[in-house]
Amino acid sequence: MSEQNNDEREITLTVNGKTYRETVETRIHLADFLRLQLKLTGTHLGCEHGVCGACTILVDGEAVRSCLMLAVQANGSDVTTIEGLADGEELTPIQKAFSEHHALQCGFCTSGMIMSLTAYIAENPGADEEAIREAISGNICRCTGYQSIVAAGVAVAAK
Amino acid sequence: MGMRYFGTSVQRQEDKKFLMGQGRYVDDIEFVGMLHGAFLRAEIAHAKINGIDASAAREIPGVHAVYTLDDLGDPYPDKPMTTAYASPLLKQTICQHLLAKDEVCFVGQTVALVVAESRHIAEDALSRIVVDYEPLPAVADCRDALDDDAPPTHLGLESNLVGNFYGKFGDIDAAFAEAAHTFKVDFHEHRGGCHAMECRNIITNYDPGKDETTVYLTTQSPFLIRRLMARYFEEDESKIRVICPDVGGGFGPKNGPYAEEFVLAIVSKQLQRPVKWIEDRREHFVATNTQGDQMWHMEIACEDDGKILGARGRVIHDMGAFVPYGLLLPATSVFPLPGPYALPALDVTLDAVFTNKTCTSPVRGAGRPNAAYAMERLIETVARGLKLDPADVRRRNFVRKDQFPYTTGGTLPSGDPAVYDSGDFHSLLDMALYKAGYPGFKKRQAAARQEGRYLGMGISSCIEDTGFGPYEGVKVKVQPSGKVLLQTGAASQGQGHQTVYSQIVAEELGVNIESIVYQSADTGTVPHGVATAGSRVTANAGPASQAAARLVRKKALKLAAEVLEIDEDDLDIEDGVVRAIPESGRNVNISLGDLSFKLTPLMNGKVPEGYEPELEATSFTSSTGVPHASGSSVAEVEVDVETGEVKLVNYVIAHDCGNMINPMLVDGQIVGGVVHGIGNALFERMVYDENAQPMSMNYGEFLLPIATEMPPIQVLHQETPSPHNELGVKGAGEGGTIPAANAIIAAIENALEPFGVVVNDHPVDPQRICELLDAAQDSASAA
Amino acid sequence: MKPGRFTYHDPTTIDELIGLLGSLDDAKLLAGGQSLMPMLNMRFSQPDHVVDLNGIDELAGITTNGSALKIGAMTRQAALLKSNEIADQIPVMQAALQCVGHFQTRYRGTIGGSLCHLDPSAELPLIALLCDAELQVAGPDGDRSIAMGEWPLAYMMPSISESEILKSININPWPQRHGFAFEEIARRRGDFAIVGVGCQLAIDNGVISKAVIAIGGANQVPYRLTEAEEALVGQPATDDVFAAAGEVARKQDAMSDAYITAAYRQRLANVLTKRTLATAAQRATGE
């Protein structure tokens, strides 16, 4: 490939309720697009090979790893990131439960954890502890030991 | 006195931004004109560099510069880095050049830097740099490093020995001569790396007008890095400002200096542009310090009842390729060896050796998990050898609570004698055993074995020297608005400093926690700090927060008494307002904000007589000695003898970190620490091949603990206040990790007792368990 | 860890795709992206062209054709897991899908992507092999059909050329009343299995009338344990019989790597064969 040629596309997508029309280099993955181009830095990159789950976001309501999608593939999609959850200053039940249960320490995995649980509990209300553990088994946290995150998830799922 | 905060599970003040995606980590920060760096790293563990051709890389549009060591200019080609902690015990303190000079000594070593418009372009350019390597023999296993035929890890070395560390006290020869029993045990310990979810990240921004470099860094010790940079660059410390924004986990390896921040500081100055470098996860596996391997050969002497008389042995410790961090790891692996036991004599020598692998520095617990594992192995060995209950062997050897302060006979790295200040090891163990159901376990285990299920329980006890000095600076300042500025030098990587020190200050001063504004970890604005490492901050910044708040309170009460014309003793501070107490019969008050205003008048005012301006105080008060935390853990496992799989059924830890400032946050530290220890015992293994080529460089192959594999973890607390600070606090950050490995390994051994399996080495995986089962069966049938 | 430069293509029909594949050199097909995207990010794969299959609607979906189920190659793993047809007719596939990655990766990952990537430990190639799937492949010369048994040529190398595309996976389900089981040993939930075993059993009056066993992860490609399948027919469904089948599994060749020895893989193949047959037998007899 010639180094001069940037392969670019114009895409239109909705992120947290706002519609964007942007030109993107096609090799940019969705997480980098959100972070570098839309300045939505709440989505974090922990491994960039699809294992740690820190970059989890919702695409058309489904939890996906945003480092494993190209930005161009989100054309026409409705994307939700951590920045799009709270209603103004009013946190969602999962966000509140994370604070109540001390389910975050350094905060780096938190966005992905919350996005995973948001999607999972929406689809599986009443999920029990085993299910919640499984739901976050694709999200790595080095700080908490998971127990408090599981407690937060179980508390919200039981509501 | 206002609302009581100390000892309550206050929700964290720092949470909301993270919950809303508003945390600001280094990679979230941008500057106008910022460029992006990518490092070319050694791909061979040991090789001579015959040449580097970066011409094709420089041709790529968007590339601003490519640096090899020579390109950095004088004096850097002849100026290697220096170790963070020099020691006379170091025989060969080899530190790396900022970029490789003529030779690479581990995969991951920095060779060149590309600076470009974007990280993508910088990586495009990396693949165009051609390095002419001439491979050299490498040392991959620390056990081979001192062999006669071992290749030199660096060209020209006569020996791969870095230095020795010794743990010696008591009459070891007499102990072994008089012993009723002696036992030998060898074990290999491997500990993984950092794996904070945020890797190491840097922005350097040189301001030519001020001739000042600002470094945004994911470090645990901004003041240490500033000092090391100032020393290396022969600059005044005021010319370098290190700022830690939000940091996504530290766990030890973010505590020391790395070549990358030095290179970026030089480059930002040369290009006069801000430069960002974000360590990606693949780099993290090799570029960020790990903790590596240790091989222990130990021998223990004891009486018939398991009372220990002495322990001796030799340890080989893998230092990696360079010595960035002195002998901290060897020291913390040896001096804490006696653990919670009254050990009459010890004689252990550690050989720290070079290998051609990633450099090492402490990971959660530093050498203490290794030392604890070693001592607990000896306890298990005695119990097995004498057919005693491992709980009883521990009880017989524990330091008793009437023995505090207890002098072990050993010395700390500072040269001071090791003295345990407080605790009750017997009751901690009993708490844990009771909660874990240890008393009725043998029956349950026997019933399960009838069904072909193999349950096991393992114990591990430890102490932890926490809160080592010298200090952490804390400044408390009431502002005219009434808000209280709280500054600490200590950097947080998620521990909840803001909440904990706000709790102390709010309670001591008499304000609401919401009125505290917190700043930390910016060498340009906050008082001097040392490092967030070794479970040391609470026992230093805690007392300093209390002392600074107390000084401010005293000043506020004195001034208020004069203003309100009342006796100081008739005043109290509540919700930020100084008021007369009801008993005084007066109904007067003045807010702390108004008092601050009086002490910071403008041109038309004057400072009250006898006062310095500002309602503020700075304190460096620290603990007067080493507060020792302690704990006992009990793990229950079920082993599938057909597949070797280990299911963690339950984990109980009884822990004593003195008075707890915020029990919820303490639990968070303990549980997180336990899971780190479970990773050490069962999962985290960095595999290298025989040429020291790293194999496990992704999260599919390097296994971190995940939620589904973790047991319920029950945390029990005993609060034995440390006499070394008024708060009675001790550190809590590593007490979960330190004992975990033996609890799990011993539980596996207990489960497999009918087969006579002894595990010893860790991490242990299902395959290894099957091999041990097969070997046990073979030797049984041979006998 | 950022992808190298490539040119992106997003055809919307199979014809357009086949045309593109004929005209491009060094192209990679992007299905669910759960394997290719990490390779691109880490620059292990640096193709000149990336051809995205996600816009080709006709490649996705589950349809029934008489007794056969036709699964479009771009059908997501999450869709398979939620499908009533799969649950009713190929329950062993559902059991295996629970072990594929995590729910977040199953939203993107596809069955065709998994079959073409052909990781020896992957669950879906094993299930396709177990179910005697017929694979429909489209190319410049039209469609061809290939049995799953012929699909793996070597380690991670399927029998497909660079100008072809996997269109669908066609499976004739077993009759409603049969026993099935899938089990795997992985270090952690969602990890690639060290070894996985799937089986289906039909039992008449306590006697095994039909048996299929597929083993993945043990060797370079997933394989059928035909020797044991044949030996099981006519035997009673007892633990001894299943143990003998396990011993057959143990004797098969196995691979070793930096982490796992051949002997351990053989051990697991034995244990899982024995265990899945026992579970399947219970299900077959309604116990």
Side-chain angles (χ1 to χ4, degrees):
Chain A
M1 284 296 297
S2 156
E3 258 81 22
Q4 279 81 4
N5 270 344
N6 281 348
D7 186 47
E8 291 179 341
R9 285 287 180 97
E10 186 170 281
I11 61 170
T12 304
L13 74 170
T14 305
V15 181
N16 301 332
K18 190 174 164 190
T19 301
Y20 296 85
R21 173 176 286 203
E22 296 277 329
T23 301
V24 294
E25 201 182 342
T26 53
R27 66 163 157 168
I28 303 283
H29 59 56
L30 184 52
D32 266 346
F33 170 74
L34 294 167
R35 292 178 50 80
L36 300 173
Q37 213 153 325
L38 303 190
K39 311 299 178 192
L40 293 170
T41 56
T43 299
H44 299 147
L45 287 167
C47 76
E48 283 187 289
H49 55 273
V51 188
C52 82
C55 68
T56 306
I57 61 168
L58 308 187
V59 175
D60 298 323
E62 294 175 341
V64 300
R65 306 203 187 296
S66 59
C67 75
L68 298 189
M69 266 182 87
L70 296 171
V72 65
Q73 293 185 292
N75 188 27
S77 295
D78 183 7
V79 171
T80 306
T81 70
I82 187 75
E83 291 94 338
L85 291 185
D87 182 4
E89 292 292 296
E90 180 63 20
L91 302 178
T92 66
I94 292 174
Q95 288 171 314
K96 283 183 196 162
F98 264 57
S99 194
E100 287 159 8
H101 292 269
H102 187 33
L104 68 157
Q105 290 183 24
C106 80
F108 201 82
C109 77
T110 307
S111 309
M113 285 284 182
I114 288 177
M115 298 315 287
S116 285
L117 283 173
T118 297
Y120 188 80
I121 293 173
E123 213 170 311
N124 303 277
D128 62 8
E129 181 184 329
E130 194 184 341
I132 294 291
R133 279 193 184 268
E134 178 152 353
I136 60 162
S137 65
N139 292 78
I140 297 173
C141 171
R142 189 59 153 167
C143 297
T144 64
Y146 304 105
Q147 192 155 286
S148 56
I149 299 174
V150 173
V154 169
V156 174
K159 276 180 189 164
Chain B
M1 181 89 17
M3 180 180 165
R4 199 169 159 75
Y5 290 109
F6 191 98
T8 60
S9 292
V10 176
Q11 276 186 45
R12 291 208 316 175
Q13 306 297 297
E14 46 271 79
D15 281 352
K16 194 171 181 185
K17 63 177 175 180
F18 296 124
L19 295 170
M20 297 181 74
Q22 294 167 343
R24 283 291 169 268
Y25 302 87
V26 170
D27 198 16
D28 304 336
I29 297 170
E30 288 190 354
F31 293 102
V32 173
M34 190 169 76
L35 300 174
H36 300 264
F39 282 93
L40 183 74
R41 297 183 180 280
E43 293 171 0
I44 303 175
H46 195 196
K48 240 180 99 191
I49 296 178
N50 289 327
I52 304 175
D53 180 0
S55 54
R58 292 192 172 98
E59 297 295 309
I60 292 177
V63 170
H64 283 244
V66 179
Y67 291 91
T68 62
L69 183 63
D70 286 340
D71 298 317
L72 291 177
D74 285 335
Y76 306 112
D78 297 310
K79 192 164 187 176
M81 298 171 72
T82 52
T83 194
Y85 300 105
S87 161
L89 294 173
L90 283 164
K91 293 189 170 70
Q92 303 189 88
T93 316
I94 303 174
C95 291
Q96 66 199 90
H97 286 76
L98 298 183
L99 298 168
K101 179 177 183 170
D102 306 334
E103 183 187 11
V104 292
C105 297
F106 69 97
V107 171
Q109 186 177 347
T110 49
V111 173
L113 172 73
V114 175
V115 181
E117 288 291 325
S118 74
R119 176 64 177 244
H120 289 75
I121 295 172
E123 290 188 19
D124 293 343
L126 283 187
S127 58
R128 299 302 183 87
I129 301 174
V130 181
V131 184
D132 179 3
Y133 286 119
E134 185 181 324
L136 297 167
V139 174
D141 190 326
C142 65
R143 289 170 284 198
D144 306 333
L146 297 181
D147 290 355
D148 289 340
D149 58 351
T153 48
H154 297 259
L155 281 173
L157 280 198
E158 283 180 14
S159 159
N160 291 318
L161 184 69
V162 178
N164 297 105
F165 197 88
Y166 307 95
K168 289 187 188 193
F169 59 80
D171 187 344
I172 196 73
D173 293 334
F176 274 82
E178 290 160 15
H181 307 274
T182 64
F183 299 100
K184 284 186 177 174
V185 60
D186 299 337
F187 45 92
H188 186 252
E189 292 190 69
H190 173 81
R191 295 198 70 215
C194 172
H195 301 289
M197 292 323 294
E198 183 196 25
C199 296
R200 283 187 304 120
N201 299 332
I202 308 166
I203 301 171
T204 51
N205 193 1
Y206 176 70
D207 181 334
K210 293 183 184 165
D211 185 28
E212 183 183 307
T213 301
T214 304
V215 185
Y216 296 82
L217 191 61
T218 52
T219 184
Q220 296 167 230
S221 50
F223 289 91
L224 169 73
I225 300 301
R226 182 182 65 169
R227 176 150 302 169
L228 293 172
M229 286 183 119
R231 196 177 285 165
Y232 181 83
F233 292 126
E234 297 173 40
E235 284 272 18
D236 186 79
E237 288 194 1
S238 65
K239 294 293 180 193
I240 297 162
R241 179 176 177 187
V242 179
I243 298 175
C244 304
D246 291 322
V247 175
F251 311 111
K254 287 184 183 169
N255 201 34
Y258 287 90
E260 289 91 345
E261 54 251 27
F262 290 72
V263 174
L264 255 68
I266 295 166
V267 166
S268 178
K269 194 168 185 173
Q270 290 190 6
L271 298 175
Q272 305 230 340
R273 295 278 287 268
V275 183
K276 177 187 272 188
W277 170 69
I278 301 301
E279 182 187 58
D280 67 35
R281 187 57 67 181
R282 234 181 117 64
E283 290 182 285
H284 183 84
F285 278 99
V286 290
T288 290
N289 296 347
T290 65
Q291 208 179 313
D293 296 343
Q294 287 184 348
M295 184 68 218
W296 292 71
H297 304 279
M298 293 294 289
E299 197 178 357
I300 189 155
C302 63
E303 295 173 355
D304 286 331
D305 64 354
K307 183 93 179 95
I308 296 169
L309 300 173
R312 64 188 177 195
R314 200 160 188 102
V315 192
I316 301 171
H317 170 89
D318 184 348
M319 289 291 283
F322 295 98
V323 191
Y325 210 77
L327 280 172
L328 265 270
L329 263 183
T332 53
S333 302
V334 171
F335 81 78
L337 262 176
Y341 308 105
L343 184 66
L346 178 74
D347 184 355
V348 171
T349 298
L350 179 146
D351 301 321
V353 299
F354 284 118
T355 58
N356 291 109
K357 299 199 291 195
T358 295
C359 303
T360 59
S361 68
V363 177
R364 202 166 194 166
R368 296 176 189 88
N370 302 72
Y373 188 74
M375 195 61 215
E376 294 301 290
R377 278 291 92 190
L378 292 174
I379 296 284
E380 300 296 335
T381 304
V382 168
R384 190 177 297 116
L386 300 180
K387 297 189 168 43
L388 297 171
D389 181 342
D392 287 338
V393 177
R394 286 179 172 83
R395 289 189 186 105
R396 274 169 208 157
N397 287 287
F398 278 153
V399 173
R400 297 185 315 272
K401 69 176 176 183
D402 57 282
Q403 289 177 287
F404 294 109
Y406 176 80
T407 305
T408 68
T411 50
L412 300 171
S414 63
D416 295 336
V419 182
Y420 298 172
D421 58 321
S422 58
D424 185 343
F425 307 148
H426 289 87
S427 73
L428 267 181
L429 176 62
D430 287 344
M431 280 166 75
L433 290 174
Y434 181 77
K435 186 76 177 176
Y438 190 80
F441 179 68
K442 274 204 153 50
K443 217 169 157 183
R444 197 150 61 80
Q445 185 181 44
R449 280 180 189 165
Q450 292 294 316
E451 301 167 14
R453 292 170 49 232
Y454 293 87
L455 303 180
M457 220 176 242
I459 306 169
S460 189
S461 299
C462 76
I463 56 143
E464 182 192 4
D465 56 300
T466 74
F468 61 85
Y471 58 78
E472 286 294 330
V474 174
K475 182 174 179 176
V476 173
K477 172 173 168 176
V478 180
Q479 301 172 99
S481 66
K483 293 273 186 191
V484 180
L485 184 65
L486 165 60
Q487 295 181 326
T488 70
S492 170
Q493 303 84 47
Q495 295 88 345
H497 288 177
Q498 177 178 353
T499 304
V500 169
Y501 305 117
S502 293
Q503 284 180 258
I504 294 171
V505 169
E507 174 147 337
E508 188 69 34
L509 187 53
V511 300
N512 285 321
I513 198 165
E514 291 79 16
S515 66
I516 291 180
V517 178
Y518 183 74
Q519 295 177 339
S520 77
D522 174 348
T523 62
T525 58
V526 303
H528 201 271
V530 176
T532 301
S535 302
R536 63 173 296 281
V537 178
T538 301
N540 285 287
S545 297
Q546 187 189 36
R550 186 171 290 172
L551 288 168
V552 171
R553 179 185 177 90
K554 213 171 154 187
K555 191 170 180 180
L557 288 173
K558 183 166 181 282
L559 181 59
E562 290 170 19
V563 172
L564 300 175
E565 297 179 337
I566 187 171
D567 197 278
E568 255 184 73
D569 294 340
D570 286 338
L571 291 174
D572 194 9
I573 309 178
E574 199 175 334
D575 296 350
V577 179
V578 188
R579 319 175 176 277
I581 56 174
E583 293 81 0
S584 70
R586 298 272 308 277
N587 185 13
V588 291
N589 66 70
I590 183 168
S591 72
L592 288 175
D594 288 345
L595 290 170
S596 161
F597 193 76
K598 285 182 185 300
L599 288 171
T600 55
L602 300 179
M603 232 166 17
N604 56 350
K606 66 172 201 176
V607 179
E609 206 165 309
Y611 289 86
E612 292 292 316
E614 295 278 24
L615 185 47
E616 69 170 29
T618 299
S619 172
F620 290 86
T621 302
S622 63
S623 289
T624 53
V626 179
H628 280 77
S630 48
S632 273
S633 288
V634 182
E636 183 179 338
V637 304
E638 178 169 351
V639 183
D640 182 330
V641 298
E642 286 191 313
T643 64
E645 289 176 295
V646 176
K647 181 179 165 55
L648 299 171
V649 178
N650 193 24
Y651 193 100
V652 176
I653 176 166
H655 191 256
D656 185 345
C657 60
N659 293 334
M660 291 188 288
I661 302 166
N662 186 321
M664 181 169 77
L665 268 58
V666 172
D667 282 356
Q669 290 297 311
I670 302 298
V671 172
V674 166
V675 166
H676 206 136
I678 291 171
N680 291 161
L682 295 176
F683 293 105
E684 298 173 34
R685 186 196 295 278
M686 187 73 195
V687 176
Y688 285 82
D689 74 7
E690 67 278 10
N691 297 314
Q693 194 74 24
M695 309 293 283
S696 324
M697 284 176 63
N698 64 65
Y699 281 154
E701 290 171 311
F702 184 90
L703 307 179
L704 289 167
I706 61 172
T708 38
E709 316 308 311
M710 293 304 106
I713 299 167
Q714 306 179 68
V715 185
L716 310 173
H717 299 287
Q718 170 178 286
E719 294 183 81
T720 316
S722 173
H724 291 315
N725 59 71
E726 191 183 320
L727 296 168
V729 297
K730 309 168 181 178
E734 296 161 311
T737 308
I738 292 169
N742 186 67
I744 290 160
I745 300 299
I748 294 168
E749 291 169 339
N750 180 241
L752 300 180
E753 198 184 11
F755 307 93
V757 166
V758 179
V759 176
N760 276 337
D761 302 344
H762 75 84
V764 68
D765 59 22
Q767 172 174 286
R768 179 69 188 146
I769 288 171
C770 288
E771 288 166 357
L772 289 167
L773 279 163
D774 286 349
Q777 200 174 14
D778 288 351
S779 68
S781 53
Chain C
M1 253 167 65
K2 308 296 181 189
R5 289 169 195 274
F6 52 75
T7 303
Y8 174 80
H9 306 269
D10 52 348
T12 55
T13 65
I14 293 176
D15 287 347
E16 190 188 343
L17 169 66
I18 299 295
L20 259 178
L21 294 181
S23 68
L24 300 177
D25 277 337
D26 190 23
K28 279 275 180 202
L29 298 180
L30 177 58
Q34 305 303 288
S35 298
L36 179 59
M37 281 296 296
M39 307 285 281
L40 293 176
N41 287 350
M42 293 192 272
R43 296 194 186 216
F44 290 158
S45 177
Q46 299 195 56
D48 288 341
H49 300 275
V50 168
V51 181
D52 188 352
L53 305 178
N54 286 274
I56 306 175
D57 292 341
E58 59 192 301
L59 280 177
I62 304 164
T63 49
T64 46
N65 179 12
S67 63
L69 275 178
K70 180 179 161 194
I71 303 169
M74 281 298 289
T75 308
R76 311 274 175 200
Q77 292 150 4
L80 294 171
L81 200 49
K82 282 175 195 153
S83 156
N84 290 330
E85 287 95 338
I86 304 286
D88 288 347
Q89 298 182 52
I90 323 176
V92 71
M93 180 183 282
Q94 272 223 321
L97 281 162
Q98 311 272 2
C99 301
V100 179
H102 304 276
F103 85 95
Q104 300 92 333
T105 63
R106 294 194 292 261
Y107 277 129
R108 296 291 302 169
T110 65
I111 184 169
S114 179
L115 263 59
C116 291
H117 189 58
L118 206 60
D119 188 293
S121 297
E123 292 83 0
L124 288 171
L126 183 160
I127 294 299
L129 187 66
L130 182 73
C131 295
D132 294 310
E134 285 285 325
L135 275 46
Q136 205 66 25
V137 174
D141 305 324
D143 285 10
R144 67 180 170 99
S145 184
I146 177 170
M148 184 61 200
E150 312 288 313
W151 180 249
L153 295 176
Y155 177 73
M156 295 183 82
M157 188 193 287
S159 173
I160 191 167
S161 79
E162 284 176 0
S163 58
E164 291 180 313
I165 173 73
L166 175 62
K167 270 172 74 177
S168 65
I169 296 90
N170 302 285
I171 293 174
N172 271 311
W174 276 30
Q176 282 294 341
R177 191 172 162 73
H178 70 269
F180 70 91
F182 175 84
E183 260 191 68
E184 66 177 37
I185 302 291
R187 285 302 313 277
R188 302 170 307 175
R189 183 84 196 143
D191 283 351
F192 271 116
I194 300 169
V195 172
V197 175
C199 71
Q200 298 188 109
L201 276 187
I203 298 177
D204 293 325
N205 296 323
V207 176
I208 297 166
S209 58
K210 193 177 172 193
V212 290
I213 303 163
I215 299 179
N219 213 342
Q220 309 277 333
V221 298
Y223 62 85
R224 285 276 289 270
L225 200 62
T226 44
E227 183 190 337
E229 289 175 0
E230 286 161 14
L232 282 166
V233 173
Q235 296 289 315
T238 63
D239 287 349
D240 288 350
V241 168
F242 299 148
E247 284 305 321
V248 175
R250 187 203 289 274
K251 288 189 191 105
Q252 305 302 306
D253 286 343
M255 60 180 173
S256 64
D257 57 31
Y259 301 89
I260 306 291
T261 62
Y264 185 61
R265 286 191 163 94
Q266 288 165 327
R267 181 186 187 111
L268 294 185
N270 170 18
V271 172
L272 292 179
T273 297
K274 187 175 73 178
R275 288 183 183 177
T276 51
L277 285 170
T279 305
Q282 278 180 4
R283 286 179 173 144
T285 53
E287 281 168 22

